[in-house]
Amino acid sequence: MDKVFNRLRNLDAYPKVNEDFYSRTLAGGVVTVVSAAVMLFLFFSELNLYLYTVTESTLLVDTSRGDTLHINFDVTFPAVRCSILSLDAMDISGEQHLDIRHNIVKKRIDGNGSVIEERKDGIGAPKIERPLQKHGGRLGHDEKYCGSCFGAEESDEHCCNSCEEVREAYRKKGWALTNMDLIDQCQREGYVQRVRDEEGEGCNIQGSLEVNKVAGNFHFATGKSFLQSAVFLADLLALQDNHYNISHRINKLSFGHHFPGLVNPLDGVKWVQGPTHGMYQYFIKVVPTIYTDIRGRVIHSNQYSVTEHFKSSELGVAVPGVFFFYDISPIKVNFKEEHIPFLHFLTNICAIIGGVFTVAGIIDSSIYYGQRTIKKKMELGKYR
């Protein structure tokens, strides 16, 4: 057994020196203090990197099917009245959503941008006591109300009991309401008068849309849109002066939920209309994105890039409005928050301690032997 212990003792790479042979120097003390300070600094730097989350990104082909796209928006039109501002959406699959009203809030604003009134989108007012019946007479006491659609009836039993239903019937026919003052329902609901009362005001419209995850567009137009010959037009012939100012500010536009580091390039963008009138277009490329935080929580969202273009009415048909044309990228981005592995952190700490000790030892030895050499030379010179 003693032979085994002797062999192990011979393998000792750290031979001990008796303290009687130690020689402590001032330079060695300075090197020790400096090296300790360097080690502490590097240790805390490495600890900070270990505690800090690193976001790794990967690109994948988007193989998802049948998903929907959530669009959040908040847009201000300083010179467009809320009563004539409408929101429409359509996609390449043929699905259309015209004059969208659910999940939409409109705020009437004055010339200074102060809110006058806030309401969920919709048209309605108390009706007069005796509305006009479909057959031409006024509503009797014992009759059921059935308003006229003014030529846009789909059947003999079709009734239009509100201004909105008349406008919807005309939209389905592809017709425009040339004079709303002649529509009994619109007169009773005060729609035309309300539009005129809002003259000189602006509108802030905010809300959200849920659309198919395919290429499409949504737009804010100055009036309810209808489809005729596959082209969107506005049924404002009785209300418009043909020169709407569509200056606008996009306070917020996002496609999905927010996640850390997300930048929406259209947030805060402002555009002021010049002397020409027309439609302003944004062409958006939507990039599906998945973000996984350090706790494993997954956020499905989207990023986007954008270009823009103004189409003047002088170059042809250009419905006054702001149009957002979006397309879906086939590539999906996957972000994942991660920590540096603990073994990596431990390896770096060992490298710091060992490296600093080694370099400090080399520096200390160089100083010590340099001082001894100088001292010997001085002693030899003295004896001579």
Side-chain angles (χ1 to χ4, degrees):
M1 184 63 72
D2 291 338
K3 291 182 178 180
V4 175
F5 289 155
N6 287 332
R7 288 180 180 178
L8 288 175
R9 192 176 294 112
N10 292 331
L11 294 175
D12 185 7
Y14 308 99
K16 312 305 182 288
V17 180
N18 195 305
E19 290 188 3
D20 295 337
F21 298 99
Y22 283 152
S23 177
R24 302 183 185 278
T25 62
L26 176 62
V30 173
V31 171
T32 301
V33 172
V34 172
S35 60
V38 171
M39 277 192 289
L40 284 174
F41 173 75
L42 294 178
F43 171 78
F44 283 111
S45 297
E46 194 65 31
L47 180 63
N48 185 54
L49 288 176
Y50 172 69
L51 297 176
Y52 181 75
T53 56
V54 179
T55 303
E56 299 290 339
S57 62
T58 55
L59 298 179
L60 304 171
V61 175
D62 187 8
T63 57
S64 59
R65 300 169 57 191
D67 291 345
T68 58
L69 189 64
H70 190 78
I71 305 173
N72 306 296
F73 58 85
D74 181 353
V75 185
T76 300
F77 294 86
V80 179
R81 292 165 281 191
C82 283
S83 296
I84 63 173
L85 184 63
S86 66
L87 172 63
D88 310 293
M90 63 182 299
D91 58 46
I92 59 173
S93 68
E95 186 168 332
Q96 303 170 24
H97 302 275
L98 305 180
D99 198 21
I100 300 170
R101 291 166 180 255
H102 58 276
N103 297 329
I104 305 295
V105 175
K106 289 182 178 179
K107 298 178 183 178
R108 293 169 55 193
I109 57 176
D110 59 21
N112 298 321
S114 302
V115 177
I116 301 173
E117 179 190 11
E118 177 179 337
R119 66 171 184 267
K120 286 193 174 181
D121 196 13
I123 296 175
K127 296 179 173 59
I128 63 174
E129 187 176 346
R130 292 169 55 81
L132 188 66
Q133 284 281 55
K134 183 176 180 179
H135 54 67
R138 290 289 175 182
L139 177 66
H141 292 292
D142 298 328
E143 287 184 302
K144 181 181 179 181
Y145 178 48
C146 180
S148 172
C149 296
F150 298 90
E153 292 86 353
E154 296 179 349
S155 64
D156 293 338
E157 292 78 23
H158 187 195
C159 301
C160 294
N161 296 340
S162 67
C163 181
E164 173 60 26
E165 291 179 3
V166 175
R167 297 174 72 204
E168 183 67 16
Y170 267 64
R171 184 195 65 77
K172 290 180 179 179
K173 290 286 187 179
W175 300 346
L177 285 173
T178 57
N179 193 342
M180 288 188 181
D181 287 323
L182 301 179
I183 306 300
D184 177 67
Q185 291 89 328
C186 297
Q187 284 183 334
R188 289 186 293 106
E189 294 176 359
Y191 175 72
V192 175
Q193 185 59 43
R194 193 175 77 177
V195 173
R196 289 170 178 163
D197 289 343
E198 293 180 4
E199 185 174 359
E201 296 179 1
C203 186
N204 171 261
I205 180 170
Q206 54 185 269
S208 61
L209 294 173
E210 196 82 26
V211 297
N212 295 326
K213 194 176 178 181
V214 295
N217 79 82
F218 65 96
H219 56 269
F220 302 95
T222 51
K224 180 166 182 174
S225 297
F226 65 95
L227 193 62
Q228 181 172 329
S229 303
V231 177
F232 273 102
L233 300 173
D235 87 20
L236 292 175
L237 299 181
L239 303 172
Q240 68 177 3
D241 59 5
N242 295 319
H243 297 295
Y244 279 101
N245 183 349
I246 58 169
S247 298
H248 59 275
R249 175 184 172 84
I250 303 174
N251 304 306
K252 175 186 177 183
L253 180 65
S254 63
F255 292 81
H257 302 291
H258 179 79
F259 61 85
L262 174 64
V263 176
N264 297 313
L266 284 180
D267 286 1
V269 169
K270 182 178 181 180
W271 180 78
V272 179
Q273 181 171 293
T276 58
H277 305 274
M279 61 190 296
Y280 204 78
Q281 302 168 313
Y282 293 95
F283 298 92
I284 298 171
K285 177 68 73 172
V286 179
V287 182
T289 304
I290 297 178
Y291 190 93
T292 306
D293 64 17
I294 197 65
R295 297 181 180 87
R297 186 169 62 99
V298 178
I299 302 174
H300 293 269
S301 186
N302 299 276
Q303 304 176 85
Y304 66 90
S305 60
V306 62
T307 57
E308 49 197 273
H309 173 70
F310 176 69
K311 183 179 180 181
S312 174
S313 57
E314 298 176 354
L315 303 178
V317 178
V319 180
V322 180
F323 288 69
F324 298 85
F325 298 91
Y326 57 88
D327 193 10
I328 311 298
S329 170
I331 301 299
K332 176 170 60 179
V333 181
N334 194 353
F335 291 112
K336 187 175 183 180
E337 289 183 351
E338 294 179 340
H339 278 310
I340 296 175
F342 178 72
L343 289 179
H344 190 184
F345 167 72
L346 194 60
T347 302
N348 288 345
I349 295 301
C350 292
I352 289 171
I353 295 173
V356 172
F357 262 122
T358 302
V359 174
I362 293 173
I363 295 174
D364 180 57
S365 298
S366 300
I367 295 174
Y368 177 70
Y369 288 113
Q371 288 177 340
R372 285 186 60 183
T373 303
I374 294 174
K375 188 175 181 180
K376 286 182 178 180
K377 288 183 177 179
M378 291 177 63
E379 289 177 351
L380 288 175
K382 188 177 180 180
Y383 286 116
R384 290 179 183 177

